[in-house]
């Protein structure tokens, strides 16, 4: 996608960008019913799909040699049909004594995406990509700079999550084996612009065994620039994941620049859609706000945001800007950040400052840009 000052065309929002060669089908692309159909199409009894789903989601196993309920001579074939390898690890980089790990993945067509795994005392979170690149063109975000390469399939998204769950279970992270507890759609891409695949992935995460990972919707966060039609669809799904809205400023004037899709859906409309989501799901939503020095961190903006949010079921996440290469923007001064938070709290708006995990390995918010990394 070319970078220009033209607003993003509206009809892009749910469009599939052209794909040269489709990735192989994977059981994670399908609903449980479709998996059984898929088995039949391959001349197999439906229950085989359920067995393989159980190996994949419950045991996190893609090693057919361990599938003892499948006749030995059929295992390889079944793995080819149901669980072809969709993502291949290119390299991992770690920081925070190994507690943060960024993985670079190559997809079947050579496209690269990243995910970040973060272990905390109480939880382990994976931040995954829903698209290769992103078409939303936010000027402060590294992923936005290269434009959108393509949507990921549900299989490709789910593989990042299952790989993270496997890493947790295997004890590779310092501290020994653990469970993957949280998933955030805050890596590369705009989840609402790849709605169907993201929705299938959400079902794979939340469906109980053997159909999915059985992780509660409350532990999943979907972050969006504010595609109102996507938020409205999600509201109807009956799946109470945490919604995060990347607001970054309370006024349309500046937001038109920081989040260009604002030219289509204004601050008021985005918040109204988030309110409806909160109303329907009973879940408080998050407002993401990257604090950019002298751009969106003025006290008057904190006041405006406080007034806007004081009677809403929202929580603000302040993110110190992670500067991207070549950008003239940088993080707010510590004292301005503290003042911003103080003002919001004076309106009774719950506010936290996001940690900058992964910053040194370009694995923090808005830093994921695999294409750049892969250059020789
Ligand atoms: N497209 C989605 C999810 C991807 S990014 C969205 O925009 O919400 C996840 C969060 O990181 C978003 O809130 C995004 O605005 C923020 N972000 C992007 N670039 C950043 C940067 N350089 N510093 C801090 N946060 C950034």
């Amino acid at each position: 996608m070319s970078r220009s000052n033209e607003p993003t065309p509206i009809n892009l929002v749910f469009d599939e960008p052209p794909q040269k060669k489709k990735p192989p089908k994977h059981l994670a692309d399908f609903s449980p019913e479709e998996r059984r159909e898929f088995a039949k199409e391959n001349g197999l009894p439906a229950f085989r799909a359920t067995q393989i789903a159980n190996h994949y989601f419950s045991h996190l196993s893609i090693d057919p040699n361990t599938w003892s309920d499948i006749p030995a001579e059929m295992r390889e074939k079944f793995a080819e049909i149901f669980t072809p390898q969709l993502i291949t690890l290119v390299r991992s980089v770690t920081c925070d004594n190994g507690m943060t790990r960024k993985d670079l993945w190559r997809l079947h067509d050579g496209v690269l995406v990243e995910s970040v795994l973060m272990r905390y005392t109480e939880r382990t979170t994976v931040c995954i990509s829903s698209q290769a690149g992103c078409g939303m063109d936010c000027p402060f975000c590294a992923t936005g700079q290269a434009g959108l390469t393509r949507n990921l399939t549900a299989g490709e998204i789910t593989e990042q999550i299952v790989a993270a769950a496997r890493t947790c279970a295997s004890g590779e992270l310092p501290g020994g084996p653990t469970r993957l507890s949280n998933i955030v759609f805050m890596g590369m891409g705009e989840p609402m612009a790849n709605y169907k695949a993201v929705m299938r992935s959400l079902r794979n995460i939340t469906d109980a065994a053997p159909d999915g990972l059985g992780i509660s919707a409350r532990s999943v966060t979907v972050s969006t620039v504010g595609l109102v039609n996507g938020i409205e669809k999600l509201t109807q799904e009956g799946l109470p994941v945490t919604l995060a809205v990347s607001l970054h400023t309370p006024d349309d004037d500046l937001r038109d620049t920081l989040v260009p899709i604002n030219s289509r859906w204004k601050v008021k409309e985005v918040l109204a859609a988030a309110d409806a989501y909160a109303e329907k799901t009973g879940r408080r939503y998050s407002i993401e706000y990257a604090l950019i020095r002298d751009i969106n961190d003025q006290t008057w903006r904190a006041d405006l945001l406080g007034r806007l949010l004081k009677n809403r079921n929202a929580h603000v996440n302040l993110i110190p800007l992670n500067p991207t290469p070549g950008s003239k923007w940088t993080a707010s001064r510590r004292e301005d950040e503290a003042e911003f938070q103080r003002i919001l709290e004076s309106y009774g708006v719950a506010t936290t400052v996001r940690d900058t995990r992964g910053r040194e390995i370009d694995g923090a918010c808005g830093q994921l840009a695999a294409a750049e990394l892969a250059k020789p």
Side-chain angles (χ1 to χ4, degrees):
M1 191 175 159
S2 66
R3 279 177 55 77
S4 70
N5 294 325
E6 297 286 303
T8 307
I10 295 150
N11 62 4
L12 258 186
V13 168
F14 286 119
D15 273 1
E16 273 287 329
Q19 284 190 19
K20 289 188 196 87
K21 205 174 104 215
K22 296 246 176 210
K25 287 290 170 203
H26 188 285
L27 68 82
D29 291 318
F30 301 122
S31 69
E33 301 71 43
E34 290 165 347
R35 284 169 204 161
R36 288 186 264 280
E37 269 314 303
F38 182 65
K40 288 193 226 158
E41 283 163 25
N42 281 279
L44 301 171
F47 75 91
R48 293 297 189 196
T50 312
Q51 284 179 312
I52 312 291
N54 191 41
H55 289 299
Y56 186 70
F57 289 117
S58 311
H59 306 299
L60 310 171
S61 165
I62 43 168
D63 175 6
N65 296 318
T66 66
W67 298 352
S68 55
D69 53 355
I70 312 283
E73 69 281 7
M74 292 174 158
R75 290 176 194 164
E76 285 291 342
K77 183 82 201 146
F78 282 20
E80 259 170 53
I81 294 173
F82 292 104
T83 57
Q85 191 179 340
L86 299 181
I87 66 172
T88 307
L89 189 62
V90 178
R91 66 170 159 274
S92 300
V93 273
T94 59
C95 64
D96 306 317
N97 297 316
M99 301 297 246
T100 303
R101 166 174 153 175
K102 181 174 75 167
D103 291 327
L104 175 66
W105 304 101
R106 177 175 290 114
L107 311 183
H108 81 290
D109 52 359
V111 166
L112 299 168
V113 296
E114 292 175 327
S115 61
V116 184
L117 190 55
M118 292 158 282
R119 183 167 193 171
Y120 300 88
T121 320
E122 304 297 335
R123 65 183 195 280
T124 303
T125 301
V126 69
C127 174
I128 50 121
S129 297
S130 58
Q131 299 181 309
C134 186
M136 295 297 122
D137 211 16
C138 303
F140 56 91
C141 172
T143 306
Q145 306 316 299
L148 177 65
T149 303
R150 70 168 171 87
N151 277 339
L152 302 194
T153 62
E156 289 166 333
I157 298 169
T158 305
E159 283 263 89
Q160 295 169 62
I161 301 159
V162 171
R166 209 178 289 127
T167 300
C168 289
S170 72
E172 277 169 66
L173 299 177
T178 187
R179 278 181 63 88
L180 177 67
S181 55
N182 295 73
I183 294 123
V184 298
F185 285 70
M186 292 188 179
M188 301 165 74
E190 167 49 44
M192 296 293 186
N194 185 15
Y195 189 89
K196 252 183 94 179
V198 166
M199 200 55 226
R200 178 71 259 145
S201 314
L202 292 176
R203 298 282 179 203
N204 291 340
I205 295 167
T206 55
D207 279 354
D211 295 329
L213 290 167
I215 294 174
S216 110
R218 297 175 152 267
S219 310
V220 181
T221 301
V222 176
S223 182
T224 176
V225 288
L227 302 189
V228 165
N229 54 353
I231 297 173
E232 287 172 348
K233 269 179 134 175
L234 190 65
T235 306
Q236 302 310 319
E237 301 281 358
L239 194 67
V241 296
T242 302
L243 176 71
V245 174
S246 298
L247 198 68
H248 302 310
T249 189
D251 55 303
D252 286 317
D253 255 6
L254 178 59
R255 197 166 190 269
D256 283 346
T257 303
L258 294 183
V259 185
I261 198 71
N262 198 66
S263 60
R264 173 66 179 84
W265 286 290
K266 298 295 173 196
V267 170
K268 246 175 124 174
E269 298 170 86
V270 175
L271 291 181
D275 289 342
Y277 184 82
E279 176 81 12
K280 180 84 186 286
T281 58
R283 306 278 294 130
R284 185 165 79 165
Y285 58 93
S286 300
I287 294 291
E288 305 290 292
Y289 200 108
L291 280 170
I292 314 175
R293 186 181 296 187
D294 300 329
I295 300 288
N296 66 352
D297 62 355
Q298 302 84 352
T299 53
W300 71 264
R301 281 204 162 89
D303 270 306
L304 189 57
L305 186 63
R307 281 201 297 275
L308 205 55
L309 298 182
K310 68 177 177 195
N311 291 320
R312 301 188 126 100
N313 196 6
H315 166 276
V316 176
N317 242 319
L318 298 174
I319 318 167
L321 183 84
N322 290 301
T324 56
S327 168
K328 52 187 185 299
W329 289 337
T330 189
S332 299
R333 296 167 197 88
R334 271 298 167 84
E335 60 270 26
D336 293 340
E337 176 187 295
E339 181 63 3
F340 205 93
Q341 179 173 21
R342 191 197 61 75
I343 293 172
L344 286 177
E345 284 173 344
S346 76
Y347 286 91
V349 176
T351 306
T352 47
V353 179
R354 168 89 51 83
D355 72 358
T356 50
R357 272 281 183 116
R359 208 169 179 170
E360 310 95 280
I361 53 171
D362 290 341
C365 305
Q367 289 185 307
L368 300 188
E372 281 305 306
L373 259 182
K375 283 186 184 145

